[in-house]
Structures are given as C-alpha cells and as structure tokens.
C-alpha cells in the first residue's frame, strides 16, 4: 500500500498513466476497507482519468469511489458499461456491470440488479470467459433471487449450480498428472 501510494507522484510526473493507475488500484485493493486509502487514491486517479479518457481508467476510478460516493460511482460505472458495450469490450462491460450489480444490490434496488446481472451473464458468455466466471455470476444472480424471496427457484437453480461446480472440480482432478 505504501509503495503504491509513494510511487504514484513520480509516475504521474512522468505521465506513466498505466503504471500509476495499476499501483493505485493495487494499493486500494490491498487495503479496501480503509477510507484514508480510498481518499488518498482518488485525486491521482481523477488526474489519470482526465489525462487518458480511457474507459479502463474510468473503471478504476469508479471502483475506488464505490465506498466514498456511491452516486458518482454509479454514474461512472454506467458510463464505462455503456462505452465498453458500444465498442464490444465485453470483459470491461462485464467488470463494470459487476460493480453496478453489487452497488444496486447493496442499495436494495434488486430489480435493477437482476436485470443487469442477466446482461452481465450474457457478456461473460459472449466474451468466452471461463466456466468459473460464469458460475460466479450465476451465483450472484441466485443471491439476488434469494433477496427477492424466490426460494423455490433459488433452490432449484442452486442445485444445478452446485452440480456444475462439482463437474468442473472433477474435470480439474481428472486433468491433474
């Protein structure tokens, strides 16, 4: 955390936006519960986003804002999601949708979260991301269904997901030398 924060000013002076963004993101990820770290990374992340205009940098900024300013984080995540969807960057669209789903779920906006997780599941599938990623997103969808109180549907689909996870584990075990 300290190294990432200390490196940022130097990297910003050099206009090494990618490295600065990476180190700031890593600092925040390693101490994600600290409001002090969240506040420390925001100004340089804003500077990076202004300098590059890149959707990936905007995503990093939005992720850092989730616990600090959820309204701004939602606005930025929606912008990233829209831009990534338009240009066909389904991996980034999926990441932005994931942040939005969590944000919406935590705010009790379950209908919006359910709609978005269904879109995320499609993006993940279309992007060709792996079966564990797909299973994780389907599990997140089940969590939202549980919050809606759709317990029978949750149990039925949950059993299928557990079986799918079992098949994936068996395939890994079989592939081991």
């Amino acid at each position: 955390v300290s190294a990432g924060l200390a490196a940022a000013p130097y990297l910003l002076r050099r206009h090494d936006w990618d490295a600065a963004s990476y180190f700031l993101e890593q600092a925040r990820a390693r101490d994600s519960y600290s409001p002090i770290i969240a506040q420390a990374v925001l100004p340089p992340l804003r500077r990076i986003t202004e300098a590059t205009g890149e959707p990936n940098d905007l995503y990093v900024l939005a992720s850092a804002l989730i616990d600090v300013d959820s309204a701004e984080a939602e606005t930025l995540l929606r912008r990233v999601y829209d831009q990534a969807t338009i240009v066909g960057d389904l991996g980034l669209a999926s990441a932005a949708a994931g942040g939005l789903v969590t944000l919406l779920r935590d705010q009790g906006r379950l209908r919006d979260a359910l709609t978005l997780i269904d879109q995320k599941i499609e993006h993940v599938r279309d992007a060709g991301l792996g079966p564990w990623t797909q299973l994780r997103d389907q599990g997140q969808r089940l969590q939202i269904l549980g919050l809606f109180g759709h317990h029978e549907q949750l149990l039925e689909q949950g059993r299928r997901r557990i079986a799918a996870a079992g098949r994936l584990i068996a395939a890994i075990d079989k592939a081991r030398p």
Side-chain angles (χ1 to χ4, degrees), residues 93-103 116-117 120 140:
S94 172
L100 276 169
V101 166
T102 301
L103 191 67
L116 197 55
I117 192 65
K120 182 179 184 337
Q140 193 173 19

Side-chain angles (χ1 to χ4, degrees), residues 42-118:
L42 288 175
L45 287 175
R46 287 184 194 283
R47 183 171 170 206
I48 292 165
T49 301
E50 289 170 6
T52 68
E54 291 292 323
N56 285 325
D57 293 326
L58 190 60
Y59 172 74
V60 173
L61 173 60
S63 297
L65 279 165
I66 285 177
D67 295 326
V68 178
D69 184 345
S70 62
E72 185 180 3
E74 180 179 352
T75 299
L76 296 179
L77 285 169
R78 287 190 186 281
R79 187 180 326 157
V80 171
Y81 177 76
D82 292 342
Q83 289 175 357
T85 302
I86 288 168
V87 299
D89 187 345
L90 298 179
L92 183 57
S94 172
L100 276 169
V101 166
T102 301
L103 191 67
L104 294 170
R105 183 200 64 211
D106 291 350
Q107 292 176 349
R109 296 164 55 193
L110 300 180
R111 229 170 260 306
D112 293 338
L114 188 60
T115 299
L116 197 55
I117 192 65
D118 288 338

Side-chain angles (χ1 to χ4, degrees), residues 8 16 24 26 28 31 35-36 38 67 70 82 85 90 100 111-112 121 127 137 152 162 166 174:
D16 192 346
L24 291 167
Q26 291 301 310
R28 193 190 67 77
D31 198 353
I36 295 169
D67 295 326
S70 62
D82 292 342
T85 302
L90 298 179
L100 276 169
R111 229 170 260 306
D112 293 338
I121 288 169
D137 291 342
E152 287 186 28
I162 290 169
K174 187 176 180 182

